[in-house]
């Protein structure tokens, strides 16, 4: 939730108060860098084209390669003809040496937030506010400039809301405004999931609650009486979600197919008339499979100048698992060999429903004037849900706002994805060893290996085809999914989580164990070995912030110290140096 509240004059200082770190102070720009990597201003230079005019704060380190990429990605293609103010999003690779290091605060944040909102240490998200207006004082006749927020956080709504506040002011007042904004952001509290945060900016206080893993989406059935009340309060925004209905309104008839293509990580390119439309559709498609993480690469807006252009357009190898948003018609020719191409125009109504793109064979994608359509030979495993379309059409007839229709759409897609994921989660849970097999003085037991056929047998009796209103070949979809790059990403994530759960359970058992009784009649070698293992476990628990109570960890530390004190002095000095 994000709420904008005017700052009252007498309470401005209170609204901007920020908790300090345990040491009592912060490093320079520590607060700022928790939210943003930097703010860039890109302008158009007659001699060289797009050029980086400013990077703030001054300690932001970008390579020349990164600066060049940001410059190209911050301006719409000349084909888009964007006049006035335009907002869109891009995503680009960080240079190898510039990747985020996994420090403690990042690890804590990533563990507490849903996987779809974790920091992306290998990429920059770029949130762009581009202005192009006639200006007779400029040689070219146009003022062209972009304000760009760079971040590792996928908070599309939050950062575009901030841009709407600061960009118009910046274009009028320039640098002093930007410096003041950066200083304000530097005083913000650190991003903390599950906590209501007050973020002062430009005379307002944005109240933000970042979702936590413990949050559960309300999946109660929406009846037709509730539909009229689904619109969120006018002062609230979701921090990260895009407007699903607005973004996907022209592909509703093919939504089931698109959901499958995204779930399977199939190569898919979105060709749109502007970077706003391309980036909104790409981000909306990724959110279609929430709470499942889209673990393949995706580029909401991509240009022919990108470093990966040759890699993605080559015909010498199969297209990568990638979701690509483009606007330049040149891509129709260079990406003809891609298996799934979605071409959309400007959204417009056709009767009671927005005009829908038609399903077409890829063989028809030959010319640069190709019409809008979904070009693919893919045959979906599941049948279309006609109930959803009827529900949305009823909402349109009632003139329900886009936010309400998005809630209906989001709920449907969430339940569809949950229906698919839950049997996989149940099977992974069955691979975990029983708690009774965990003992203090042995290494924790191993997770049973994943067996595909064992899973398939289980799915025949407990899969979604039993209860889901959506019929089709669910088992065939699972088999295809198990061969996809998204299964690999999901399985690795689950393995990490299961190992951490085992380690936590093992540590809790150790904390409750009687160490003094165990060391009786043990040799010094065995005792020293135990102490080293326990100290290592304790350090990992603090470093990884495992969910074990502080009292239990303190008790374990006390027991370790007591055991060390019972050893000869020469061993004490080695194990417990002062």
């Amino acid at each position: 939730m994000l709420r904008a509240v005017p700052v009252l004059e007498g309470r401005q200082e209170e609204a901007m108060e920020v908790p300090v770190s345990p040491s009592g102070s912060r490093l320079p720009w520590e607060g700022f860098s928790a939210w943003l990597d930097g703010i860039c201003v890109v302008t158009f230079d007659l001699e060289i084209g797009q050029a980086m005019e400013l990077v703030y704060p001054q300690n932001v380190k970008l390579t020349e390669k990164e600066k060049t990429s940001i410059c190209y990605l911050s301006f719409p293609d000349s084909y888009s003809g964007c006049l006035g103010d335009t907002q869109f999003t891009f995503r680009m690779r960080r240079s190898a040496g510039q990747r985020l290091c996994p420090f403690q605060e990042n690890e804590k944040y990533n563990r507490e937030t849903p996987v779809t909102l974790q920091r992306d240490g290998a990429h920059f998200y770029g949130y762009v506010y581009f202005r192009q207006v006639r200006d007779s004082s400029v040689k070219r006749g146009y003022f062209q400039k972009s304000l760009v927020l760079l971040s590792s956080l996928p908070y599309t709504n939050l950062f575009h809301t901030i841009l709407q506040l600061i960009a118009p002011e910046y274009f009028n007042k320039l640098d002093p405004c930007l410096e003041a904004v950066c200083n304000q952001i530097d005083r913000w509290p650190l991003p903390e999931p599950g906590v209501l945060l007050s973020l002062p900016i430009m005379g307002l206080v944005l109240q933000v609650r970042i979702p936590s893993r413990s949050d559960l989406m309300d999946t109660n059935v929406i009846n037709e009486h509730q539909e009229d009340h689904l619109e969120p309060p006018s002062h609230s925004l979701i921090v990260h979600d895009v407007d699903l209905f607005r973004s996907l309104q022209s592909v509703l008839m093919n939504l089931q197919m698109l959901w499958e293509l995204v779930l399977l990580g199939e190569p898919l390119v979105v060709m749109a008339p502007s970077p706003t439309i391309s980036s909104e559709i790409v981000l909306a498609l990724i959110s279609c499979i929430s709470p499942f993480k889209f673990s393949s690469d995706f580029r909401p807006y991509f240009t022919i100048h990108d470093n990966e252009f040759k890699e993605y357009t080559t015909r010498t190898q199969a297209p990568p698992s990638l979701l690509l948003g483009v606007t330049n018609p040149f891509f129709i020719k260079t990406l003809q060999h891609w298996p799934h191409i979605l071409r959309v125009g400007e959204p417009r109504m056709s009767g009671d429903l927005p005009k829908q793109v038609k399903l077409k064979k890829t063989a028809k994608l030959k010319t640069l004037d190709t019409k809008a359509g979904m070009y693919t030979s893919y045959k979906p495993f599941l049948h279309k849900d006609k109930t959803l379309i009827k529900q949305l059409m009823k909402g349109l007839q009632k003139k329900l706002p886009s936010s309400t229709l998005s809630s209906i759409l989001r709920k449907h897609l969430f339940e569809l994805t949950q229906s698919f994921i839950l049997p996989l989660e149940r099977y992974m849970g069955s691979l975990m060893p029983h708690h009774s097999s965990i003992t203090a003085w042995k290494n924790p037991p191993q997770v049973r290996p994943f067996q595909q056929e064992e899973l398939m047998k289980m799915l025949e009796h407990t899969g979604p085809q039993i209860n889901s209103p959506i019929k089709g070949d669910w088992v065939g979809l699972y088999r295809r999914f198990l061969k996809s790059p998204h299964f690999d990403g999901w399985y690795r994530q689950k393995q990490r989580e299961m190992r951490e759960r085992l380690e936590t359970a093992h540590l809790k058992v150790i904390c409750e164990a009687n160490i003094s009784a165990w060391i009786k009649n043990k040799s010094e070698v065995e005792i020293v070995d135990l102490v080293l293992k326990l100290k290592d476990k304790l350090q990992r628990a603090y470093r990884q912030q495992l969910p074990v109570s502080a009292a239990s960890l303190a008790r374990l530390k006390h027991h370790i110290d007591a055991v060390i004190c019972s050893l000869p002095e020469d061993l004490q000095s080695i194990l417990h140096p002062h």
Side-chain angles (χ1 to χ4, degrees):
M1 178 182 69
L2 180 150
R3 185 179 292 114
V5 184
V7 181
L8 298 176
E9 213 172 300
R11 296 189 60 191
Q12 189 147 352
E13 281 186 29
E14 184 184 336
M16 293 179 67
E17 205 171 309
V18 172
V20 293
S21 62
S23 63
S25 62
R26 281 185 173 184
L27 296 170
W29 300 111
E30 183 183 347
F32 179 91
S33 62
W35 294 90
L36 293 172
D37 287 270
I39 300 180
C40 303
V41 177
V42 180
T43 191
F44 190 87
D45 185 290
L46 274 177
E47 305 270 332
I48 58 174
Q50 288 99 308
M52 188 76 73
E53 186 178 282
L54 179 69
V55 179
Y56 207 89
Q58 292 175 354
N59 66 338
V60 174
K61 292 178 182 176
L62 295 170
T63 65
E64 289 306 312
K65 192 176 178 181
E66 287 171 339
K67 287 179 183 177
T68 301
S69 293
I70 291 166
C71 285
Y72 282 122
L73 288 166
S74 299
F75 271 46
D77 275 320
S78 56
Y79 302 95
S80 302
C82 298
L83 276 173
D85 291 356
T86 304
Q87 286 185 255
F88 57 92
T89 306
F90 66 78
R91 181 173 177 264
M92 56 172 266
R93 286 180 191 165
R94 292 175 186 259
S95 298
Q98 302 292 104
R99 300 196 171 190
L100 280 184
C101 296
F103 65 92
Q104 194 168 331
E105 280 301 327
N106 281 347
E107 288 180 357
K108 180 176 182 289
Y109 170 84
N110 280 351
R111 192 164 47 250
E112 293 177 356
T113 198
V115 291
T116 52
L117 293 181
Q118 289 177 338
R119 285 189 185 278
D120 187 342
H123 296 85
F124 285 118
Y125 285 93
Y127 303 98
V128 182
Y129 194 108
F130 169 73
R131 174 170 287 184
Q132 179 172 252
V133 291
R134 291 186 183 279
D135 187 345
S136 56
S137 66
V138 180
K139 213 174 192 181
R140 205 165 181 240
Y142 285 95
F143 171 93
Q144 292 175 301
K145 196 166 283 196
S146 284
L147 186 62
V148 187
L149 305 183
L150 292 179
S151 180
S152 60
L153 295 167
Y155 294 166
T156 310
N157 269 13
L158 172 62
F159 290 130
H160 277 302
T161 299
I162 290 170
L163 278 171
Q164 287 166 13
L165 293 172
I166 66 174
E169 190 79 2
Y170 169 72
F171 290 137
N172 292 329
K173 297 183 180 175
L174 300 181
D175 297 4
C177 162
L178 211 53
E179 187 173 353
V181 164
C182 290
N183 284 318
Q184 278 191 311
I185 294 173
D186 191 43
R187 294 197 291 274
W188 285 0
L190 301 180
E192 187 176 350
V195 176
L196 191 65
L197 305 171
S198 294
L199 312 179
I201 189 95
M202 302 288 289
L204 296 176
V205 175
L206 304 179
Q207 291 194 321
V208 178
R209 186 184 182 278
I210 300 165
S212 69
R213 284 207 186 188
S214 58
D215 291 343
L216 291 175
M217 180 175 172
D218 182 13
T219 56
N220 293 333
V221 176
I222 300 172
N223 60 46
E224 67 180 88
H225 300 295
Q226 289 174 299
E227 284 176 1
D228 298 307
H229 305 289
L230 276 175
E231 185 186 3
S234 58
H235 55 259
S236 298
L237 286 172
I238 306 297
V239 171
H240 55 289
D241 282 340
V242 294
D243 187 329
L244 271 186
F245 181 77
R246 188 187 69 200
S247 304
L248 301 177
Q249 58 183 308
S250 62
V251 296
L252 295 174
M253 292 300 184
N254 294 304
L255 191 58
Q256 184 67 52
M257 173 190 284
L258 286 165
W259 177 83
E260 288 188 22
L261 292 176
V262 174
L263 180 74
L264 298 172
E266 286 285 311
L268 172 63
V269 60
V270 176
M271 297 180 176
S274 72
T276 303
I277 295 175
S278 85
S279 62
E280 284 184 351
I281 291 178
V282 168
L283 293 172
L285 287 173
I286 286 166
S287 73
C288 279
I289 60 170
S290 179
F292 190 85
K293 183 180 181 180
F294 187 88
S295 50
S296 299
D297 199 0
F298 63 96
R299 304 301 171 89
Y301 174 53
F302 187 78
T303 76
I304 60 173
H305 303 286
D306 271 88
N307 296 318
E308 291 82 37
F309 175 77
K310 286 184 180 178
E311 178 187 338
Y312 295 161
T313 57
T314 180
R315 292 172 184 253
T316 58
Q317 57 192 38
S321 175
L322 176 68
L323 185 45
L324 205 60
V326 301
T327 60
N328 192 326
F330 183 66
F331 281 107
I332 295 176
K333 184 179 180 181
T334 55
L335 297 177
Q336 259 183 34
H337 61 295
W338 275 46
H340 318 291
I341 298 172
L342 172 62
R343 182 144 201 225
V344 297
E346 293 286 349
R348 57 193 178 94
M349 295 298 292
S350 176
D352 291 331
L353 199 65
K355 186 171 176 60
Q356 298 295 293
V357 299
K358 293 180 180 177
L359 197 59
K360 300 183 180 183
K361 292 183 178 177
T362 46
K364 291 189 177 179
L365 191 73
K366 295 291 183 189
T367 60
L368 290 177
D369 60 349
T370 304
K371 294 179 180 178
M374 178 69 209
Y375 295 84
T376 181
S377 301
Y378 180 82
K379 292 182 179 177
F381 288 90
L382 306 182
H383 303 154
K384 287 181 183 178
D385 185 358
K386 294 177 182 176
T387 310
L388 172 68
I389 300 299
K390 288 178 184 176
Q391 201 175 6
L392 292 171
M393 286 187 72
K394 192 186 292 184
L396 283 166
Q397 288 163 2
K398 290 182 179 179
K399 295 187 170 19
L400 295 182
S402 178
S403 55
T404 304
L405 298 172
S406 286
S407 297
I408 295 170
L409 202 50
R410 184 172 290 108
K411 179 179 181 297
H412 167 82
L413 291 164
F414 179 86
E415 289 179 347
L416 178 61
T417 307
Q418 282 287 72
S419 297
F420 184 83
I421 290 177
L422 283 175
L424 294 172
E425 298 273 3
R426 280 198 295 269
Y427 175 70
M428 290 299 286
S430 72
L431 303 181
M432 281 284 283
H434 194 269
H435 189 270
S436 61
S437 64
I438 301 172
T439 59
W441 316 122
K442 291 182 180 178
N443 289 329
Q446 297 293 306
V447 176
R448 279 200 306 118
F450 185 97
Q451 300 284 348
Q452 181 173 329
E453 288 312 311
E454 186 181 40
L455 168 66
M456 290 322 222
K457 282 181 184 175
M458 189 194 84
L459 286 171
E460 286 174 13
H461 302 102
T462 62
Q465 72 276 7
I466 309 295
N467 299 315
S468 175
I470 299 174
K471 302 306 176 186
D473 184 7
W474 282 91
V475 173
L477 182 59
Y478 280 109
R479 286 195 184 278
R480 181 79 172 259
F481 174 74
L482 293 178
K483 297 175 183 175
S484 75
H486 277 178
F487 168 71
D488 186 57
W490 175 83
Y491 182 62
R492 287 172 187 271
Q493 174 76 20
K494 285 293 153 195
Q495 279 188 313
R496 282 194 296 271
E497 290 174 4
M498 290 163 81
R499 281 197 298 267
E500 187 173 295
R501 277 164 53 199
L502 275 175
E503 190 166 356
T504 300
H506 189 224
L507 186 59
K508 286 179 178 177
V509 169
I510 289 172
C511 288
E512 298 301 321
N514 187 339
I515 297 176
S516 302
W518 185 85
I519 65 171
K520 284 180 180 176
N521 304 320
K522 294 291 188 293
S523 67
E524 281 185 0
V525 172
E526 289 175 300
I527 294 171
V528 169
D529 184 56
L530 173 69
V531 167
L532 291 172
K533 285 180 178 176
L534 292 181
K535 287 185 76 172
D536 181 57
K537 266 202 172 295
L538 195 60
Q539 285 170 359
R540 285 210 309 275
Y542 283 121
R543 189 170 60 247
Q544 296 174 18
Q545 298 183 330
L546 296 178
V548 180
S549 71
S552 295
L553 294 177
R555 185 164 59 250
L556 177 58
K557 186 177 184 306
H558 174 75
H559 287 322
I560 293 171
D561 290 343
V563 171
I564 291 173
C565 289
S566 69
L567 294 169
E569 285 187 10
D570 57 335
L571 288 175
Q572 285 186 40
S573 61
I574 295 169
L575 295 171
H576 208 175
H578 294 288

